[in-house]
Coordinates of all heavy atoms in Angstrom, one line a residue:
A71 N 18.9 0.8 17.2 CA 18.2 1.8 18.2 C 19.2 2.8 18.7 O 18.8 4.0 18.9 CB 17.6 1.0 19.3
C74 N 19.6 5.8 16.4 CA 18.4 6.2 15.6 C 18.0 7.7 15.9 O 17.7 8.1 17.1 CB 17.2 5.3 16.0 SG 15.7 5.8 15.1
F76 N 15.3 9.0 14.9 CA 13.8 9.2 15.0 C 13.3 8.8 16.4 O 12.2 9.0 16.7 CB 13.1 8.2 14.0 CG 13.3 8.6 12.5 CD1 12.8 7.8 11.5 CD2 14.0 9.8 12.2 CE1 13.0 8.2 10.2 CE2 14.2 10.1 10.8 CZ 13.7 9.3 9.8
C77 N 14.2 8.2 17.2 CA 13.8 7.7 18.5 C 13.5 8.8 19.5 O 14.2 9.8 19.6 CB 14.9 6.8 19.1 SG 14.5 5.1 18.8
A124 N 8.4 4.8 20.0 CA 9.0 3.4 20.0 C 9.8 3.2 18.8 O 9.4 3.6 17.7 CB 8.0 2.4 20.2
H125 N 11.0 2.5 18.9 CA 11.9 2.3 17.8 C 11.3 1.2 16.9 O 11.6 1.2 15.7 CB 13.2 1.9 18.3 CG 14.3 1.7 17.3 ND1 14.7 2.6 16.4 CD2 15.0 0.6 16.9 CE1 15.6 2.1 15.6 NE2 15.8 0.9 15.9
H177 N 12.9 2.4 12.4 CA 11.9 3.2 13.2 C 10.6 3.5 12.3 O 10.7 4.0 11.2 CB 12.5 4.5 13.6 CG 11.8 5.1 14.7 ND1 12.3 5.3 16.0 CD2 10.5 5.6 14.8 CE1 11.4 5.9 16.8 NE2 10.3 6.1 16.1
Ligands
ZN1 ZN1 14.2 4.7 16.5

Side-chain angles (χ1 to χ4, degrees):
C74 180
F76 292 176
C77 260
H125 181 61
H177 199 114

